[in-house]
Amino acid sequence: MGGLLVAIPLTPLAVCAVLLVGGAYLRLTGAPGARGVAADVGTEIGPGAGTIGDPRAAALRVAAGWLSVAGVLAALVVGVVALLAFRGGAEVALSTTWFRVGYLEVPFSLRLDGLQGLMVIVVGGVSVLVHLFSVGYMHGDRDVVLYFAELSLFSAAMLLLVLADDFYVLYLAWELVGVSSYLLISHYFERPQAAAAGKKAFLTTRIGDVGLLLGIFALVWLTDSLEFHTVFAWASGPGLPGAWRVAVPLLIFMGAMGKSAQLPLHVWLPDAMEGPTPVSALIHAATMVAAGVYLVARTYPIFAAAPEALTVVGWIGALTALMAATVGLTQRDIKKVLAYSTISQLGFMVTALGAGVPAAAVFHLFTHAWFKALLFLGAGSVIHAAGRQVVDELGGLGRRMPITALTFAAGALSLAGIPPFAGFWSKEEILGALAGGHPAFLAMLLAASFFTAFYVSRLFFVVFLGPEVETAAETETEAPVRESRAVMWLPLAVLASATAAVGLWGAGFLGYPLQESLGLEEGGTSVGGPVWVTVVAVALGLAGISLAWLAYARHPARVSAAGEDAAGSAPAGAPARVGPGRPAFDARLEDSLGWTYRLVDNGYYLDALFGRCLVAPFVGVAGFLARAIDANLIDGIVNGIAWLVTGAAGGVRRLQSGQVRDYVAAVAAGVFVVAALVIEALR
Amino acid sequence: MTPVLILSGILFAIGVFGVLTRRNAITMLVAVEIMMNAANLNMVAFSRLYHPELMTGQVLAVFGIGVAASEAAVGLALILTIYRRYGSTDVDRVDLLKG
Amino acid sequence: MTASDVLFIIFGVIAAACALYGVLTRYLLRSIVALGAFLTAVAGEFYLLAADFVAVVQIFVYVGGIVVLMLFALMLSTSGERQPLAGSDRRGLGSLLAYVLGGMVVWATVGTRLPVVPGRLPASVPYLGRALLGGQVFAFEVLGVILLAAVVAALALVRSERL
């Protein structure tokens, strides 16, 4: 049975390899010059142009998407089979020794149990839908083959991560996931912002990864083993000695902070929206960012032994949740709103982890994956159809894209925590657990919930309701906005149904089937909190939606850049159309709140802070090292040696005068010396 | 026998002086022959010292003369070739090996 | 002071004087002739040292062959000048090394106690013959080869390009 587990990450990995090799062979991947005529990559949707005229290349472009869908689908199927086997009582695991270094045996272990099986379903399921969506979304993109290769690589890495049963495989997959994320964010790398965003994501998560690595080192040093079960037995039993008991979980949490975008390592996620939207859906909503939460849940025995660490975790989670929710209120780019929403929801999960209810955190991870992916893909549908993603330029799309609008609404309601959607069940779990012993967290998360409902409703009302917005370009040339192709709305529909139904799996009145299957320890209060928390949460959610309705749907006026109310041309009988502009409520809010608004809008200036305090000095030091030390000192030494040698050689060269008589003189002198020595010796 | 040896030493010195001093290739060769003869003189002198019936020194001298003959022949041929190439037999002109 | 001693001194002086002249003169022709005279004087020295055969060989080969060869070479390499001249320079270095090397030989000689030389042998030719074709025959043969090689080499060097 365990052997099957290897097939799960292996299938998408094989697809990646095939696509890379085929692409390289057909010169579809690789150096930009090899890809034929450059397309305009200023917008997210570049008109395609590749190696023109090669039918094999065209075939590969079409096949790439479907091939990668098949890859993840196969992985998902195998995963389901394995999960059923596990439920049937079998132990589905694989454990071999990969290699030895000194006394350390480096293992390669995979396992599928309740928690890991759930993750495989989430990762595999969302992956399949996103791959499918990408077939439509990325159609015509110049680098579509490379895209699907990278996407398959990511899926393989993520699957490997959740199947890992020892720290070595975990870290390996962790890094691979980071790399593929970097590659995918920088997909439109000719855009400097995209390239910078990729670097930022990678470097920021790297900081967290260092913490994780140090934690792993400490564990190896203390327990001589990398296998989960050995380490967990140590942690729960004798426990890690002294300060390590608290330090190790905190180090591991650093890795989680990086990947799951918690304060202060969250700054990469909004920038990561430079990548294609399906990437944002898969990686930065459903899977990679969940890796941090999964990590803590998986290694929970280490955390459970250190309540001090859990407190830190909880605070970071709650602060992140609240902070991100406020920033989401002011963002104008659809994807940025969703990005901050993700950060905030991850904060919810982390708070739950800190409060001792990892099962609730994983449940929320589960539901969040579905509805956040849905929201992102819905946004992708809008972006693909309308060609733009800023709220100022979008409006009234509900009429033209009914399926997208409907599914988006489902996702929004789920995010806002309205029953019976999935988000309600999982959020209620978390809030209920907090009520028992963490009032501060509860207050912060309730406030965050209110804001969450508000901003997601804002997004929905502005984009899908109200008058349509026409931009100058649209009136001239483009075809009117239409609903997306089936390849794209089918995943939306699937996700919407999922988010409607899936929440029940963790519902109390069904006996918490999901939580039971996870097999996680419960360190805090029992699941299923007091009723008043549920009521308050739902009330806040509804309040948020209603306020947004009042602010944006009842009076959907816009303020154009010039400050006046915008108006557009409206052919007689057609629905009203306006020119682009900010929603009026946003403008009034900024006027009344002034600097507070701007502070929030700029993410509390954390990016600028990091830039000044961390990046700039670092770059300065690096520059100094490069110029003063490398160029002057080291090059100076190297060049100096060369100069010495040439100088010496030049001097010695003058001995070679080419004159016979000089050589004779030298020989004579030599004869003299030798003869004198001989004579002396003979005396 | 000492006077012979001293004589050969003096002649040898004169030869060295000549080789280092002269500019013309042929006169350099003259000086070289002077040196060679000084050496032959030395060898012949010493042949009377130990086992004179073996005539070792004289044999060496004969060989020396023979070798000197071949060397002079080849050397002069070389000098002629150089003369054809450079138009002069001034050794200072031939400095192709100059580094 | 026997007759041989006197002759030794005379021949020695002639040899040294001719050598010096040959090395110092500017006139190339005279330089070579001086060489010839020097070689003859040395041949005389050889005779006085009971190396009569060597003396004769010296005259035949050196004076009769090599000096003539040099004269020919001189003629061929001076492009018809009536009186070829060639100066000398670097006297300082030359004399320094000359004094050094010569002085070393003299000093070595003077400082060594040499055993007494036995009296004259009868004619050297039989002994020389026995040596050359007996103990040293191998070197003798090799000398023949060397001479052959030299002939071939000289021919190869001086033939003109067209042939």
Side-chain angles (χ1 to χ4, degrees), chain A residues 193-217:
Chain A
Q193 299 96 314
K199 270 191 298 189
K200 185 173 179 182
F202 194 69
L203 289 174
T204 315
T205 54
R206 204 94 192 88
I207 299 176
D209 294 349
V210 169
L212 176 61
L213 194 59
L214 288 175
I216 296 180
F217 286 165

Side-chain angles (χ1 to χ4, degrees), chain A residues 404-406 408-410 412 455-465:
Chain A
T404 307
L406 210 57
F408 197 90
Y455 67 62
V456 74
S457 317
R458 164 181 179 257
L459 203 56
F460 180 77
F461 293 142
V462 171
V463 170
F464 291 104
L465 299 187

Side-chain angles (χ1 to χ4, degrees), chain A residues 51-72:
Chain A
T51 343
I52 303 173
D54 184 351
R56 290 178 305 173
L60 185 61
R61 287 158 163 271
V62 171
W66 296 109
L67 202 60
S68 70
V69 171
V72 271

Side-chain angles (χ1 to χ4, degrees), chain A residues 437-453:
Chain A
H438 306 270
F441 293 169
L442 182 62
M444 290 162 83
L445 290 193
L446 283 174
S449 305
F450 171 71
F451 291 138
T452 305

Side-chain angles (χ1 to χ4, degrees), chain A residues 13-114:
Chain A
L13 190 64
V15 170
C16 167
V18 164
L19 288 179
L20 280 179
V21 169
Y25 176 69
L26 293 174
R27 300 173 77 226
L28 283 173
T29 56
R35 282 195 283 246
V37 178
D40 176 85
V41 286
T43 61
E44 198 174 329
I45 319 164
T51 343
I52 303 173
D54 184 351
R56 290 178 305 173
L60 185 61
R61 287 158 163 271
V62 171
W66 296 109
L67 202 60
S68 70
V69 171
V72 271
L73 193 57
L76 180 62
V77 166
V78 174
V80 169
V81 168
L83 184 57
L84 288 175
F86 172 75
R87 292 305 220 82
E91 187 196 4
V92 186
L94 169 77
S95 181
T96 62
T97 306
W98 198 341
F99 57 87
R100 276 193 181 79
V101 181
Y103 68 83
L104 184 66
E105 273 198 26
V106 176
F108 185 87
S109 312
L110 302 177
R111 177 180 292 275
L112 190 118
D113 61 11

Side-chain angles (χ1 to χ4, degrees), chain C residues 62-139:
Chain C
Y62 251 120
V63 184
I66 291 176
V67 171
V68 172
L69 199 57
M70 284 190 184
L71 283 170
F72 271 114
L74 183 67
M75 281 194 289
L76 287 170
S77 68
T78 50
S79 35
E81 298 164 35
R82 273 211 59 134
Q83 184 71 274
L85 296 173
S88 57
D89 50 12
R90 296 193 187 201
R91 301 246 173 111
L93 180 65
S95 29
L96 170 70
L97 277 168
Y99 281 125
V100 161
L101 284 169
M104 190 178 66
V105 173
V106 167
W107 170 65
T109 310
V110 162
T112 318
R113 208 173 299 121
L114 294 163
V116 176
V117 173
R120 279 182 71 94
L121 287 167
S124 68
V125 177
Y127 297 97
L128 202 55
R130 253 172 250 139
L132 278 177
L133 291 170
Q136 319 285 354
V137 64
F138 180 66

Side-chain angles (χ1 to χ4, degrees), chain A residues 520-545:
Chain A
L520 290 171
E521 288 180 19
E522 298 297 315
T525 57
S526 60
V527 294
V531 177
W532 68 267
V533 173
T534 316
V535 170
V536 170
V538 174
L540 282 173
L542 291 171
I545 298 179

